[in-house]
Amino acid sequence: ILHPGGGSALMGAGFCRPTSMRGLPFLLIIGLMSILCSRAAEISLPSSMPGHPRLLASEGQFAELRGQIKTDSVSARIYTDLLRRADGMLAQPPVTYQKEGRRLLAVSREALARISTLAMVYRLTDDPRYADHAMAELRAVAAFKDWNPSHYLDTAEMTLAVAIGYDWLYDRLGPDDREACARVIVDLGLPDMA
């Protein structure tokens, strides 16, 4: 969401941070990555994790965005467009497993667009219709035989879709749906690690 004063309102709310490779030596980045990877076993997770949502935005950031939509005309227009797109998605059946040649990418991208849009609108409106349809999309992709592991991008985008849905809809998902999402992220999203 662009802010009239310049920059991005989503960026200001912590939704994303721009990064640039310019000016950073490639070897420095590789060196840093190898240090981090070599110390991965030493990294300990906190004893308690923050509540959901926590991917891309927290509940506090969604609350800030809800307030911004009420006070900023540019954000309000963007929200109106987002709501219009989500409303159109409500009338569509969930995605189906359908490859184009050897690729599932179009389906993965559609699932990502639908789940993230519907879940975001749910977070902004608290209207269960959006959460329910996003959950139907989650269940559909969880039932796929695979996410086309022969092409990493097909699998990665589907994994991102399910991860966002799991996190942003966590309060609406029952234990079985939570377990199914977690299971397919590992089994279909990370097949070499399962």
Side-chain angles (χ1 to χ4, degrees), residues 4-183:
S8 165
L10 286 176
M11 187 181 347
F15 280 83
C16 58
R17 297 279 186 238
T19 58
S20 172
M21 294 298 285
R22 273 180 243 159
L24 292 178
F26 181 70
L27 291 176
L28 178 63
I29 294 170
I30 296 299
L32 181 60
M33 288 176 57
S34 64
I35 290 169
L36 291 174
C37 289
S38 69
R39 301 195 69 194
E42 300 171 23
I43 297 172
S44 62
L45 293 174
S47 59
S48 66
M49 297 291 289
H52 294 277
R54 54 185 170 228
L55 293 180
L56 306 178
S58 66
E59 181 52 42
Q61 290 167 319
F62 277 113
E64 286 178 33
L65 191 53
R66 283 189 292 272
Q68 181 176 320
I69 290 166
K70 294 176 184 175
T71 61
D72 178 58
S73 63
V74 174
S75 297
R77 284 195 308 269
I78 293 170
Y79 168 72
T80 299
D81 183 58
L82 183 70
L83 189 60
R84 181 188 52 76
R85 283 187 278 147
D87 286 340
M89 292 172 181
L90 291 176
Q92 298 175 351
V95 295
T96 58
Y97 189 96
Q98 187 172 30
K99 285 186 176 179
E100 292 179 12
R102 297 179 7 211
R103 302 296 301 278
L104 190 64
L105 188 57
V107 175
S108 297
R109 288 189 171 162
E110 184 64 23
L112 177 57
R114 289 184 190 186
I115 292 168
S116 61
T117 299
L118 291 162
M120 177 174 266
V121 171
Y122 163 68
R123 280 274 160 205
L124 296 174
T125 64
D126 221 17
D127 185 333
R129 294 177 305 146
Y130 301 107
D132 292 345
H133 199 76
M135 291 182 338
E137 297 285 351
L138 283 171
R139 290 181 192 115
V141 300
F144 286 4
K145 65 180 180 173
D146 62 49
W147 292 343
N148 198 24
S150 65
H151 196 276
Y152 70 93
L153 197 53
D154 302 12
T155 303
E157 292 200 28
M158 194 71 81
T159 303
L160 178 59
V162 175
I164 288 172
Y166 174 88
D167 185 53
W168 289 5
L169 301 169
Y170 189 85
D171 61 327
R172 296 277 305 175
L173 295 173
D176 291 343
D177 284 326
R178 290 179 191 162
E179 174 63 32
C181 287
R183 187 185 72 254

